[in-house]
Amino acid sequence: MSAKNEILGRIREALREPAPVPGHHGDHGKAQLHASAEFSQWLPAVGEDLASQLDLFAKNSADLKTEFHLLASREEFAPRLRELAQQNNWKRVATHSGALTDMAVPAIGLPTLKTDAGYEVNAMEQCDAGITECDALVAQTGSILITSRSAGGRALSVLPPHHVVLVTRAQMVPDLAAAYVVVREKHGDKFPSFISFITGPSRTGDIERILVLGAHGPKRLTVFCC
Amino acid sequence: MNTPVEQFREDATRVAADEQHRRLIQGALGKYYVARDRQVGRFQDWQSARQAAAETKWEAVNHLDQHLVSFAEKLEARGGKVFWANNSAEARDYILKICREKKARCIVKSKAMTAEEIHLNAALEKDGYEVVESDLGEYIVQLRKEAPYHFVFPAMHLSRGDIRELFDREIGNVKSDNPEDLTMVARRVLRKKYCEADIGISGANFAIAETGMISITENEGNARLTTSLPRVHIAVMGIEKVLPRLEDLALFLPMLGTAGAGQAITCYNSMIGGPRQPGECDGPEEFHVVLLDNHRTRLLADPEQRDALHCIRCGACLNVCPIFKNIGGHSYGTTYQGPIGSVITPHFRGLQDWKHLSNASSLCGACTSACPVKIDIHHHLLHNRRNAATQKPRWWEKLAYKIAAGVLNWPEFYAFATAVGRVMQKFHPLVKGSVLDPARAWTKTRELPQVAPQSFRDYWRARERKP
Amino acid sequence: MKITLFIPCFVNTCFPQAGISMVQIFERLGHTVDYREQVVCCGQPAFNSGYWDEARLVDERTLGLLADTDAVVSASGSCGAMLKVFYPQLFDGRPQADAARALAAKCFEFSDFLVTKLGVTDLGARFPGKVTFHDGCHGLRELGVKSQPRKLLEKVRDLELVEMKEAESCCGFGGTFAAKFPMISTAMGEVKCASALETGADFIVSNDSSCLMQIAGLLDRQGRKVRTLHIAEVLASR
């Protein structure tokens, strides 16, 4: 018999006797799977309109040390990116093809690694910044939703020391449950192999619980939102 | 060789008296309490969220067979490989087989308690592979050749000075003990390893039955690098990690971040559903998930304590546990420390050998209140005590309680015994603290209360006699 | 109302003043107080050690002796929890199961009974001094007693209530645990005492004399002048 069948057999044998549901003090109450729409009444509150969600995202970003900039229009992506490159003395950057990146990244005028058709890991490691798009911004948590399809693969948003996200206001969603809706609407059940919520620059508290940014991933996270 | 209980007594007694340890842990956890309270305060209804999370895990664990089958089917359809391991040996052998087939040299690991549980590093190193822990805390304890102190904060017991000394000795030329500088030292060393490694090994915080994904929660980005760059990714997880639906994470990720580290959500929460898919530019060519039983089904077969399998390993119960804070993580001698470890270890490794962990508790219940999935942790310590005493009673303890019952059920004799005690305590100073002192366990560090000149019973009798 | 006191073994022998104060308080409120001297112990030591059969030897008797009461009020949160929470578990599936549930329903911790059941917070007490309150774990977490003692203490004239850091943290007593693992128990107690001392309070007050036995035992050994008192003693002061 295979280990799979042995394990499943033991599980089924074990489950013949029912277990009490937590929080019902021994009497066999019923457990239910709560619809994700219900979560929003328990989790931290989020306003319904875009303006309050942008405010909340900005406030969360400040707490998280995400550098969040609201731009007036998408024409501002290129100059703001160029400014950031100059301030930080970038030598080379990495990015992927996309409506927003294609418009803004060439304007920096630096050697650019594109990940779309594959790349050398060591070459990416040498880049000063990874510039990506994303699938959504999550107001409730200050998170950025990326997938391996929307953000130039798995590593582009984590390997270079500075991650820059280009995003539009229309991509704001209130909470994580709404972010999953975005993923499902885009991909049906053909999910990308990698989906991630990025919430602030990389961090650690492993030494005396003192916060240090840039543990292994980016030390800085900049979001330009138009 | 000490038995587990002897070792525990020795280590716990030593650490409990170590005031430097006490200060370090209080300092670290003090920061955690502030952050956690702030995050819990932001929830509109933390208690209802706990109840919903508990019910979701109940559903997952009580239909575990269906959820695991679904998880495996979905993942396999996307090119992932699922290996079912009855025990540690099977899991280790499978991983070693992959390493041999891939002719691996360097293996990079992100934090996985299941890998600790099956002693994976030792097995890999024995076969000549270089294994590097990439989580900063894990890297530190790996360099020290010791086990994680806490399953979420592995190096919480070390001061920055300890870590500077360690890095200076093992890496070289480290003069600053600033936490940021020390973190950057590790960053530089480990960057090279990510780029070189052939195989990445991770754990999993959740497995999504509906979509065949694993979810990994972390702060540093080391797990993302571990699961993105090497050609092969192997995830080792316990069978109890399932959640029914992808959307359940919308509840569990904030709860794990809040309870575990006082964060609204941790920095990176990544859902991985297979190896690199057609049209994707990076990611491993192979993705293996090892589903580990290793006696979890034994715990599952105990309906009274089945909810211990709801655990999401947030570590909240350790953080609030006064026992943990005073004896430290290493004293437990287990993979999973703290209250939840004391509950589950006897099921995994034998009740009689590990029952002392359930006895070493004041049953204060702080763990249960802190648990985001409402596991009845401290009552399960009582259940383990009962099961241990029923299975193999200690005759002298049983006899003592029988005699005590006899005395307590005979009030006149009990009153007489009280009167004797009142007289005897006059002579107690003669033996106090010595080996002849019957109350030595108490009087070594504490004063005994005095038997009152008039007991409440005497007071009541006197009062009733009055007209 | 006829109120039956549950006076645990250690209160009876070592801390009778807690029980005497309860009698005074209830009588001042105009209730009839009842005490059954045959009831001695809740059986917790055997129960907590895992010897449930031996615990039942005591508890069957206690259950019977308290059957015909209206309300049972415990001088200790811990023993109260034993009667209210653990008796139903101990007798689950046994002939006494109904009796255990019936007792649980009418059993209360002292401060909870005053505030929740009798609806009083001001007992006309006067107690000059700075007081910090220690939450006994069983009262706090098994019975949900947190605000009740504070509501009572806030109404006491001349009493200044100061909260200690981590008031909800265990004192390390834990019954037989204190003797089985004395050094862990002592370390926990030291942390508790340090928090209490930090407040500068003159009195450490609790709804559980067993916690106070641990705290006083350590403070006396350290030669501290801080006194420990059961909350009933404070509330009975005039």
Side-chain angles (χ1 to χ4, degrees):
Chain A
M1 193 158 69
S2 71
K4 176 180 177 179
N5 288 332
E6 285 169 12
I7 293 172
L8 287 172
R10 281 198 298 274
I11 292 173
R12 286 171 187 141
E13 182 60 33
L15 291 178
R16 283 158 63 131
E17 209 182 323
V21 176
H24 291 275
H25 294 289
D27 39 323
H28 291 250
K30 255 180 81 73
Q32 57 163 319
L33 274 182
H34 297 264
S36 56
E38 283 182 71
F39 301 165
S40 59
Q41 57 183 322
W42 310 317
L43 294 171
V46 187
E48 277 178 24
D49 57 305
L50 178 62
S52 66
Q53 291 174 10
L54 284 167
D55 274 355
L56 181 58
F57 191 90
K59 192 178 140 289
N60 282 331
S61 294
D63 282 353
L64 292 161
K65 313 243 180 328
T66 300
E67 299 158 36
F68 177 62
H69 304 283
L70 263 180
L71 311 185
S73 73
R74 52 179 67 198
E75 279 64 49
E76 277 189 51
F77 278 140
R80 292 299 290 270
L81 208 50
R82 198 161 48 228
E83 193 188 351
L84 196 63
Q86 282 162 1
Q87 277 167 3
N88 296 289
N89 201 19
W90 291 349
K91 298 283 185 289
R92 52 179 83 77
V93 298
T95 189
H96 63 97
S97 294
L100 306 180
T101 47
D102 287 350
M103 190 174 70
V105 179
I108 314 176
L110 287 175
T112 300
L113 173 88
K114 290 192 91 174
T115 60
D116 305 272
Y119 59 91
E120 263 294 309
V121 171
N122 286 309
M124 186 191 280
E125 212 274 324
Q126 299 299 312
C127 292
D128 298 299
I131 303 164
T132 75
E133 297 181 2
C134 70
D135 287 280
L137 299 182
V138 183
Q140 187 176 56
T141 54
S143 307
I144 298 151
L145 171 69
I146 62 149
T147 69
S148 40
R149 301 224 181 106
S150 64
R154 297 190 186 195
L156 179 57
S157 52
V158 72
L159 189 60
H162 192 155
H163 178 206
V164 183
V165 181
L166 308 182
V167 60
T168 65
R169 283 174 166 78
Q171 289 180 278
M172 180 66 72
V173 297
D175 51 24
L176 298 171
Y180 283 118
V181 173
V182 172
V183 176
R184 284 187 193 268
E185 279 174 353
K186 244 185 198 170
H187 303 288
D189 61 356
K190 299 213 166 21
F191 294 105
S193 73
F194 182 82
I195 303 168
S196 192
F197 292 105
I198 298 173
T199 311
S202 158
R203 62 198 55 217
T204 185
D206 273 349
I207 302 175
E208 294 186 7
R209 307 295 315 134
I210 290 166
L211 178 70
V212 176
L213 297 182
H216 293 287
K219 293 174 194 173
R220 290 179 65 186
L221 173 61
T222 304
V223 179
F224 288 123
C225 177
C226 77
Chain B
M1 177 91 172
N2 278 346
T3 62
V5 62
E6 287 164 354
Q7 191 65 46
F8 174 78
R9 281 190 177 279
E10 194 179 310
D11 294 345
T13 302
R14 189 188 65 248
V15 181
D18 180 345
E19 302 221 353
Q20 196 195 337
H21 171 269
R22 202 183 286 177
R23 271 194 305 276
L24 202 59
I25 300 308
Q26 282 178 348
L29 288 175
K31 297 186 189 90
Y32 161 82
Y33 299 142
V34 172
R36 180 205 56 188
D37 290 349
R38 192 177 58 223
Q39 290 308 336
V40 168
R42 285 181 185 166
F43 271 66
Q44 297 172 82
D45 188 347
W46 172 250
Q47 293 307 336
S48 296
R50 285 178 79 209
Q51 181 63 26
E55 291 184 21
T56 305
K57 277 305 283 192
W58 186 95
E59 159 61 35
V61 166
N62 283 278
H63 299 99
L64 189 57
D65 51 336
Q66 297 163 26
H67 292 307
L68 283 174
V69 168
S70 164
F71 168 78
E73 274 174 8
K74 287 281 155 62
L75 181 55
E76 281 162 347
R78 297 160 54 82
K81 295 198 172 68
V82 178
F83 181 77
W84 302 69
N86 279 303
N87 51 43
S88 304
E90 289 181 13
R92 280 194 308 262
D93 290 348
Y94 179 72
I95 295 166
L96 286 167
K97 188 177 89 161
I98 298 170
C99 293
R100 272 195 305 276
E101 280 173 11
K102 299 294 157 195
K103 299 190 170 52
R105 292 177 315 275
C106 178
I107 298 164
V108 65
K109 269 182 72 206
S110 67
K111 200 163 155 18
M113 291 314 296
T114 40
E116 299 284 340
E117 181 184 331
I118 65 173
H119 305 290
L120 182 59
N121 285 11
L124 289 167
E125 281 164 2
K126 189 165 153 268
D127 278 18
Y129 300 103
E130 182 192 5
V131 190
V132 186
E133 292 289 349
S134 60
D135 172 86
L136 177 60
E138 291 280 344
Y139 178 64
I140 291 166
V141 295
Q142 188 189 29
L143 287 181
R144 283 173 63 93
K145 300 184 174 55
E146 66 184 17
Y149 174 91
H150 178 301
F151 59 70
V152 177
F153 311 138
M156 196 170 73
H157 60 307
L158 300 173
S159 70
R160 60 184 81 188
D162 297 332
I163 296 165
R164 187 207 67 81
E165 243 170 70
L166 175 76
F167 280 7
D168 195 43
R169 189 172 67 232
E170 300 291 330
I171 302 166
N173 202 24
V174 177
K175 300 298 166 225
S176 162
D177 69 355
N178 177 308
E180 177 153 14
D181 295 340
L182 292 169
T183 303
M184 292 311 131
V185 170
R187 180 184 168 106
R188 275 194 296 279
V189 174
L190 290 165
R191 280 249 134 185
K192 293 199 194 83
K193 300 294 177 190
Y194 296 119
C195 299
E196 279 169 29
D198 321 277
I199 292 182
I201 298 178
S202 76
N205 294 86
F206 303 101
I208 308 300
E210 174 208 10
T211 59
M213 295 172 185
I214 63 164
S215 176
I216 301 180
T217 290
E218 53 150 348
N219 272 312
E220 298 180 1
N222 63 308
R224 286 193 58 194
L225 290 164
T226 300
T227 58
S228 296
L229 301 178
R231 284 178 294 139
V232 178
H233 170 203
I234 306 169
V236 191
M237 54 170 267
I239 51 173
E240 81 282 16
K241 291 280 154 198
V242 291
L243 284 177
R245 304 160 310 185
L246 184 58
E247 275 75 2
D248 292 326
L249 291 172
L251 179 65
F252 278 83
L253 298 180
M255 296 200 71
L256 177 55
T258 299
Q263 292 174 276
I265 178 174
T266 54
C267 192
Y268 300 109
N269 284 281
S270 306
M271 289 124 269
I272 299 172
R276 177 193 304 197
Q277 299 294 298
E280 293 182 351
C281 69
D282 62 2
E285 294 151 20
E286 287 183 24
F287 175 42
H288 302 259
V289 172
V290 177
L291 289 175
L292 182 68
D293 178 350
N294 211 23
H295 303 311
R296 283 165 175 76
T297 43
R298 210 145 73 183
L299 180 50
L300 192 73
D302 181 352
E304 191 174 45
Q305 295 190 47
R306 189 177 293 158
D307 67 347
L309 289 168
H310 298 184
C311 177
I312 57 173
R313 301 283 186 266
C314 67
C317 61
L318 284 68
N319 299 342
V320 300
C321 177
I323 314 285
F324 175 86
K325 285 193 276 186
N326 281 294
I327 69 172
H330 288 143
S331 299
Y332 289 84
T334 57
T335 307
Y336 305 100
Q337 312 82 8
I340 189 69
S342 301
V343 170
I344 64 178
T345 304
H347 295 266
F348 291 0
R349 294 168 73 177
L351 177 58
Q352 294 304 327
D353 283 344
W354 296 94
K355 65 183 177 190
H356 57 279
L357 297 179
S358 298
N359 289 326
S361 166
S362 63
L363 303 172
C364 78
C367 46
T368 305
S369 311
C371 178
V373 292
K374 293 181 101 167
I375 301 169
D376 207 2
I377 303 173
H378 73 297
H379 290 158
H380 293 335
L381 297 175
L382 266 174
H383 299 145
N384 279 341
R385 293 181 185 186
R386 179 203 58 204
N387 295 348
T390 308
Q391 190 186 71
K392 201 176 159 195
R394 276 191 280 238
W395 68 266
W396 70 89
E397 211 172 346
K398 204 173 171 65
L399 181 67
Y401 286 123
K402 272 207 163 61
I403 293 171
V407 174
L408 293 167
N409 285 346
W410 184 7
E412 289 71 28
F413 185 74
Y414 174 69
F416 170 71
T418 306
V420 171
R422 196 174 292 135
V423 176
M424 293 296 281
Q425 72 179 0
K426 292 196 173 37
F427 302 100
H428 185 237
L430 296 175
V431 295
K432 194 166 96 178
S434 79
V435 284
L436 296 173
D437 184 356
R440 191 159 177 265
W442 182 273
T443 56
K444 202 167 166 225
T445 54
R446 295 161 283 204
E447 295 299 321
L448 265 183
Q450 296 294 301
V451 177
Q454 184 192 39
S455 70
F456 183 81
R457 181 176 182 267
D458 295 340
Y459 153 82
W460 187 264
R461 286 199 159 186
R463 182 188 127 103
E464 295 297 283
R465 270 199 303 272
K466 281 184 202 152
Chain C
M1 191 193 301
K2 192 167 110 182
I3 300 166
T4 304
L5 299 185
F6 182 84
I7 303 296
C9 45
F10 57 94
V11 173
N12 178 45
T13 50
C14 299
F15 308 102
Q17 200 53 45
I20 296 168
S21 302
M22 285 169 68
V23 175
Q24 289 168 352
I25 289 166
F26 288 136
E27 287 190 338
R28 280 179 200 157
L29 289 170
H31 299 285
T32 309
V33 181
D34 164 42
Y35 167 66
R36 298 168 184 206
E37 61 179 52
Q38 309 279 336
V39 178
V40 173
C41 179
C42 67
Q44 204 174 170
F47 176 78
N48 280 355
S49 299
Y51 291 84
W52 289 24
D53 286 337
E54 286 67 27
R56 275 186 286 262
L57 292 178
V58 176
D59 295 344
E60 271 177 30
R61 194 176 131 90
T62 302
L63 205 52
L65 287 166
L66 293 173
D68 65 334
T69 51
D70 300 333
V72 177
V73 177
S74 172
S76 147
S78 186
C79 305
M82 184 69 201
L83 302 182
K84 200 170 176 68
V85 178
F86 297 112
Y87 272 24
Q89 292 181 29
L90 189 62
F91 292 104
D92 187 34
R94 288 170 185 270
Q96 303 89 342
D98 286 341
R101 275 195 292 272
L103 175 61
K106 62 185 177 187
C107 174
F108 303 89
E109 182 275 333
F110 170 64
S111 68
D112 179 44
F113 184 73
L114 283 172
V115 176
T116 317
K117 203 69 191 163
L118 298 183
V120 288
T121 50
D122 190 347
L123 296 161
R126 177 182 302 279
F127 186 88
K130 196 169 170 185
V131 164
T132 189
F133 187 80
H134 164 68
D135 294 285
C137 295
H138 271 149
L140 176 70
R141 298 196 184 86
E142 303 293 350
L143 303 177
V145 178
K146 171 79 187 178
S147 63
Q148 298 90 322
R150 289 171 174 77
K151 283 183 184 153
L152 292 163
L153 290 173
E154 277 162 13
K155 289 281 161 64
V156 177
R157 282 111 190 121
D158 300 336
L159 182 149
E160 185 194 352
L161 182 64
V162 279
E163 289 292 339
M164 70 178 100
K165 202 172 69 190
E166 294 173 37
E168 295 188 359
S169 183
C170 178
C171 69
F173 177 65
T176 52
F177 165 74
K180 286 183 177 169
F181 296 91
M183 296 319 288
I184 306 176
S185 166
T186 297
M188 289 161 69
E190 285 170 358
V191 174
K192 182 89 246 177
C193 289
S195 309
L197 290 171
E198 213 179 74
T199 62
D202 312 309
F203 299 91
I204 302 171
V205 174
S206 179
N207 49 356
D208 221 315
S209 300
S210 53
C211 306
L212 294 176
M213 185 156 75
Q214 159 92 343
I215 293 170
L218 282 158
L219 291 175
D220 289 353
R221 180 60 61 89
Q222 294 171 10
R224 306 278 182 176
K225 295 282 166 271
V226 185
R227 277 193 63 204
T228 53
L229 284 174
H230 189 277
I231 187 169
E233 296 177 70
V234 176
L235 297 176
S237 306
R238 285 288 166 103

